[in-house]
């Protein structure tokens, strides 16, 4: 076990005070004898408790060697049983003695964490009350952990300062003990002298023994009284310290109050002086604010003017370019209109001829249907001249495109006749999103009676209040699943999301056609499609 180097850490008076708390009178005498401060045991009662503590402190700190102290006290011989003769240092002997004294406290501290030690031994009031202060502090000082040792020194220094222990007045409690010890010593010497005289009277010896017993009883009584007086003195010192603190606070507050009064007086004079100019200052402040506002307004106007000027220059340049482009566009438009009218006339003639042919085909098919059904044959035999067509109509896309641009609706019956033509229709599918507030039953019934297969889903509401309802994935899945039985896929939608689907159809050597409003159809979708049918007025109702 390592022992603390008290020489460098605490002062002489502080060590004396600490030893007084740690050791009782019997232990002080025993330690003094063991380290050689009192070589003659017969002179034990000749020294007071205070003298022994001071000698112990000097020997502990190494300021006075034990043998020298003995010689200074008038001793002529030192070697006695149990006395240190130089084999072990005074510090080691004293430290071993104190460690044995604080054995229980050392064991308790050794099992505690640093945080627990700092919490439980934060103040010394409870330790002093229980009489364990000295043993606990010695246990902290001898601990192997640096943080624990530092906390022990802090606790020792703080407690010593709080009770204002000093060498000059810290041992007044030993005065009465010293007097009692001297009385006891004198009685002992008297007894020794009495023994040396050749008196054999038993009555005198008993009388002297009775006196000695009475003296010891008086000593114990005085010691108890002294202990109570010492506690009262410590209480009064603590109370006096609090009163001093209150008095200092009061003087500081009084001084601060006077300073504040003087400062208040000065401020009143300044306020009086400033009040006279308050109106002028306020007017100047208002004028300054108005000027600042006017300045900001002029800066904004200047910035707007610069922006307008720059925009004007850009606009003039763009206008010249637009005028030139418009002039060229007019020329091209006139030529395009001429060609378009010619194409429209030819298309109308072709359309009329196609309708007539379609009606003839339908009549022929009806007649053949009647004849073949009666003979038990198939109604519509497949031939190489009839491509298999599948029509997929995104009703939501077509509905909103017609409504937003024309305020009208698409005639899906005419649409089906136009885009299928004489080809063989494998199936027409209408994809509808059901809105709870709108009754679409009549519309869906009309589509079903005219050859459409209805596929519908409900409009889904998201948590943020928005809605989602589209058939993009559903249409793509149906097209891919039916692609093996189709030659032509007709998409009635202008949604650009169908571009990958159109590319997939063409990769399978199938024909893809798109029918939709030109203003609402993706340019990429138009370019990918083998044919694009723009919807005109003839398909609107």
């Amino acid at each position: 076990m390592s022992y603390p180097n008290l020489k460098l850490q605490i002062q002489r008076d502080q060590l004396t005070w600490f030893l007084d708390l740690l050791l009782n009178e019997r232990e002080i005498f025993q330690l003094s004898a063991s380290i050689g401060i009192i070589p003659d045991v017969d002179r034990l009662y000749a020294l007071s408790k205070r003298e022994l503590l001071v000698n112990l402190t000097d020997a502990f700190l190494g300021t006075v060697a034990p043998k020298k102290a003995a010689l200074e006290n008038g001793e002529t011989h030192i070697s006695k049983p149990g006395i240190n003769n130089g084999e072990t240092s005074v510090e080691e002997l004293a430290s071993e003695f104190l460690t044995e004294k604080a054995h229980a406290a050392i064991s308790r501290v050794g099992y505690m964490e640093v945080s627990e030690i700092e919490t439980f031994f934060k103040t010394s009031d409870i330790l002093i009350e229980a009489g364990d202060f000295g043993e606990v502090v010695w246990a902290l000082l001898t601990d192997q952990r640096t943080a624990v040792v530092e906390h022990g020194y802090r606790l020792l220094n703080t407690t010593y300062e709080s009770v204002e222990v000093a060498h000059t007045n810290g041992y007044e409690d030993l005065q009465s003990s010293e007097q009692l010890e001297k009385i006891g010593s004198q009685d002992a010497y008297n007894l020794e002298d009495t023994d040396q005289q050749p008196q054999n009277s038993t009555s005198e010896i008993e009388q002297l023994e009775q006196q000695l017993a009475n003296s010891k009883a008086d000593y114990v009584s005085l010691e108890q009284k002294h202990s109570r007086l010492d506690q009262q003195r410590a209480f009064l010192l603590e109370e006096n310290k609090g009163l001093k603190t209150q008095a200092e606070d009061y003087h500081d507050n009084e001084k601060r109050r006077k300073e504040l009064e003087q400062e208040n007086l000065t401020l009143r004079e300044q306020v009086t002086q400033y009040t006279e100019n308050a109106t002028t200052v306020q007017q100047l402040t208002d004028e300054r604010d108005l000027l600042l506002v006017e300045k900001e307004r002029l800066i904004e106007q200047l910035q707007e003017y610069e922006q307008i000027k720059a925009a004007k220059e850009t606009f003039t340049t763009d206008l010249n370019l637009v005028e030139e482009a418009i002039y060229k566009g007019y020329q091209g438009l006139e030529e395009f209109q001429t060609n378009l009218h010619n194409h429209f006339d030819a298309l109308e003639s072709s359309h009329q001829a196609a309708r007539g042919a379609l009606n003839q085909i339908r009549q022929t098919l009806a007649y053949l249907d009647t004849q073949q059904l009666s003979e038990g044959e198939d109604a519509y035999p497949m031939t190489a001249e009839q491509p298999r067509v599948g029509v997929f109509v995104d009703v939501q896309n077509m509905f909103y495109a017609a409504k937003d641009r024309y305020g009208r609706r698409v005639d899906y019956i005419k649409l089906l006749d136009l885009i299928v033509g004489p080809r063989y229709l494998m199936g027409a599918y209408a994809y509808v999103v059901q809105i709870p507030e709108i009754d679409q039953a009549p519309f869906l019934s009309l589509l079903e009676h005219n050859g459409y297969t209805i596929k519908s889903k409900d409009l889904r509401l998201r948590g943020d209040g928005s809605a989602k309802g589209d058939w993009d994935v559903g249409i793509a899945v149906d097209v891919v699943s039916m692609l093996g039985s189709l030659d032509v896929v007709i998409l009635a939608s202008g949604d650009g999301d169908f571009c990958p689907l159109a590319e997939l159809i063409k990769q399978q050597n199938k024909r893809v056609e798109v029918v939709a409003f030109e203003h609402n159809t993706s340019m990429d979708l138009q370019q990918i499609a083998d044919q694009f049918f723009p919807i005109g007025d003839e398909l609107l109702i």
Side-chain angles (χ1 to χ4, degrees):
M1 176 180 289
S2 61
Y3 300 115
N5 190 358
L6 300 178
K7 297 179 183 180
L8 303 177
Q9 300 293 336
I10 63 177
Q11 301 176 358
R12 181 174 180 273
D13 294 340
Q14 190 175 4
L15 178 58
T16 306
W17 166 79
F18 174 65
L19 292 175
D20 187 22
L21 288 178
L22 180 58
L23 302 173
N24 58 32
E25 186 175 359
R26 181 181 61 80
E27 292 168 341
I28 293 172
F29 293 160
Q30 183 180 354
L31 179 59
S32 299
S34 65
I35 64 176
I37 290 180
I38 306 175
D40 190 357
V41 180
D42 296 334
R43 295 296 304 273
L44 177 64
Y45 291 100
L47 298 176
S48 65
K49 181 180 178 181
R50 174 171 180 170
E51 290 173 336
L52 291 174
L53 285 172
V54 172
N55 289 333
L56 273 176
T57 303
D58 293 338
F60 206 108
L61 297 177
T63 56
V64 178
K67 295 182 179 180
K68 183 178 179 181
L71 294 173
E72 289 177 353
N73 290 328
E75 303 299 331
T76 58
H77 60 283
I78 298 176
S79 298
K80 296 286 284 183
I83 298 176
N84 176 39
N85 291 318
E87 294 84 358
T88 308
S89 66
V90 175
E91 295 179 51
E92 291 180 357
L93 287 173
S95 297
E96 289 177 0
F97 186 88
L98 297 179
T99 300
E100 184 177 356
K101 162 72 175 177
H103 175 73
I106 291 173
S107 299
R108 182 173 56 167
V109 170
Y111 287 109
M112 299 176 68
E113 299 291 338
V114 177
S115 59
E116 295 176 339
I117 292 172
E118 293 176 348
T119 301
F120 286 104
F121 302 140
K122 185 176 182 180
T123 59
S124 60
D125 298 341
I126 299 177
L127 295 175
I128 292 176
E129 254 181 54
D132 297 335
F133 176 77
E135 297 180 7
V136 171
V137 170
W138 183 258
L140 297 177
L141 297 181
T142 56
D143 195 87
Q144 300 295 329
R145 294 167 289 183
T146 305
V148 176
V149 175
E150 292 177 353
H151 181 71
Y153 281 117
R154 285 197 301 270
L155 185 62
L156 178 63
N157 294 331
T158 304
T159 306
Y160 178 74
E161 292 174 0
S162 66
V163 298
E164 299 181 353
V165 177
H167 178 67
T168 56
N169 59 1
Y171 294 93
E172 294 177 358
D173 60 325
L174 299 178
Q175 296 297 329
S176 59
S177 300
E178 180 181 355
Q179 294 175 1
L180 291 175
E181 291 167 358
K182 288 182 178 180
I183 293 173
S185 300
Q186 187 63 38
D187 291 340
Y189 287 129
N190 291 337
L191 288 174
E192 291 175 0
D193 294 341
T194 303
D195 291 336
Q196 293 175 1
Q197 295 177 2
Q199 294 181 358
N200 298 321
S201 175
T202 305
S203 61
E204 291 182 1
I205 292 175
E206 291 177 354
Q207 183 178 3
L208 290 174
E209 289 179 352
Q210 183 65 34
Q211 290 178 1
L212 180 59
N214 293 337
S215 297
K216 288 183 177 181
D218 292 340
Y219 170 77
V220 172
S221 177
L222 290 173
E223 186 68 22
Q224 294 175 352
K225 183 177 180 181
H226 163 71
S227 178
R228 290 193 297 272
L229 291 174
D230 185 54
Q231 293 177 359
Q232 185 177 3
R233 180 184 64 83
F235 175 76
L236 292 175
L237 285 174
E238 188 67 25
E239 186 177 6
N240 185 43
K241 183 179 178 181
L243 293 174
K244 285 182 179 179
T245 303
Q246 293 179 2
E248 292 175 357
D249 293 341
Y250 172 76
H251 289 308
D252 292 340
N253 293 334
E254 186 66 20
K255 182 178 178 181
R256 180 59 179 165
R257 185 184 64 81
K258 291 181 180 180
E259 292 176 354
L260 290 175
E261 287 180 353
Q262 184 64 32
E263 186 177 355
N264 186 32
L265 181 61
T266 304
L267 290 174
R268 286 179 180 275
E269 293 176 356
Q270 292 178 357
V271 168
T272 303
Q273 181 179 359
Y274 291 155
T275 303
E276 298 175 356
N277 299 326
T279 304
T280 304
V281 171
Q282 185 62 38
Q283 291 176 353
L284 293 175
T285 302
D286 295 340
E287 292 179 1
R288 181 180 65 84
D289 294 339
L290 293 175
L291 291 174
L292 289 175
V293 172
E294 184 66 19
K295 177 184 176 182
E296 293 294 334
R297 188 179 64 81
L298 292 176
I299 291 174
E300 292 178 358
Q301 290 181 353
L302 182 60
Q303 292 176 350
E304 291 177 358
Y305 173 74
E306 295 294 336
Q307 294 175 357
I308 292 172
K309 183 179 179 181
K312 180 182 178 182
E313 294 176 355
T314 304
F315 179 75
T316 302
T317 303
D318 294 341
L319 183 60
N320 294 332
L321 295 175
V322 170
E323 288 177 351
E324 183 178 355
I326 290 174
Y327 176 73
K328 293 180 180 179
Y330 274 132
Q331 292 179 344
L333 183 60
E334 290 177 355
E335 182 179 355
F336 176 75
Q337 285 178 344
T338 302
N339 295 332
L340 186 61
H341 284 302
N342 295 332
H343 284 298
F344 271 133
D345 293 340
L347 183 61
E348 184 66 25
S349 299
S350 176
H351 180 64
Q352 294 296 334
R355 280 185 175 276
L358 180 61
N359 290 330
Q360 292 179 359
I361 291 171
R362 284 179 176 175
Q363 292 175 1
T364 303
L365 288 176
Y367 173 77
L368 292 175
D369 184 31
T370 303
Q371 296 296 323
Q372 291 173 352
L373 286 176
S374 62
E375 297 174 359
E377 298 179 359
D378 292 336
Y380 299 99
M382 292 290 297
T383 64
E385 291 76 19
Q386 290 181 311
R388 297 168 296 174
V389 178
V391 179
F392 303 88
V393 181
D394 187 354
V395 175
Q396 186 181 25
N397 182 274
M398 303 292 286
F399 172 79
Y400 286 106
K403 179 180 179 182
D404 294 339
R405 185 64 175 263
Y406 303 100
R408 299 165 68 183
R409 292 180 298 163
V410 177
D411 188 345
Y412 294 96
I413 301 172
K414 291 183 180 179
L415 174 68
L416 186 60
D417 292 339
L418 177 63
I419 61 179
V420 174
R423 297 176 291 189
Y424 184 79
L425 178 63
M426 294 293 294
Y429 299 89
Y431 297 87
V432 181
V433 177
Q434 294 278 11
I435 301 175
E437 295 80 10
I438 301 175
D439 183 14
Q440 303 186 47
F443 170 70
L444 299 180
S445 178
L446 177 65
L447 292 179
E448 287 180 344
H449 283 86
N450 287 275
Y452 285 92
T453 300
I454 305 300
K455 291 195 174 185
S456 66
K457 66 168 60 174
D458 295 331
L459 183 68
R460 290 183 298 173
L461 297 178
R462 296 190 180 97
D464 58 358
S466 60
K468 177 176 177 59
D470 59 67
W471 269 99
D472 295 352
V473 176
I475 294 173
V477 170
D478 289 346
V479 170
V480 172
S481 63
M482 297 177 62
L483 196 56
S485 61
L486 298 177
D487 299 314
V488 180
V489 175
I490 301 178
L491 292 173
S493 175
D495 193 347
D497 293 339
F498 289 114
C499 289
L501 177 62
E503 291 177 350
L504 177 62
I505 295 170
K506 296 185 70 174
Q507 290 174 3
Q508 299 298 321
N509 296 322
K510 308 291 183 178
R511 180 179 176 84
V512 58
E513 299 176 358
V514 176
V515 54
F517 292 93
E518 188 171 9
H519 74 277
N520 193 42
T521 304
S522 168
M523 293 299 298
D524 294 336
L525 187 61
Q526 294 183 33
Q527 293 175 1
I528 294 173
D530 295 303
Q531 186 170 357
F532 173 66
F533 297 97
I535 297 177
D537 291 336
E538 70 277 7
L539 294 178
L540 296 177
I541 55 176

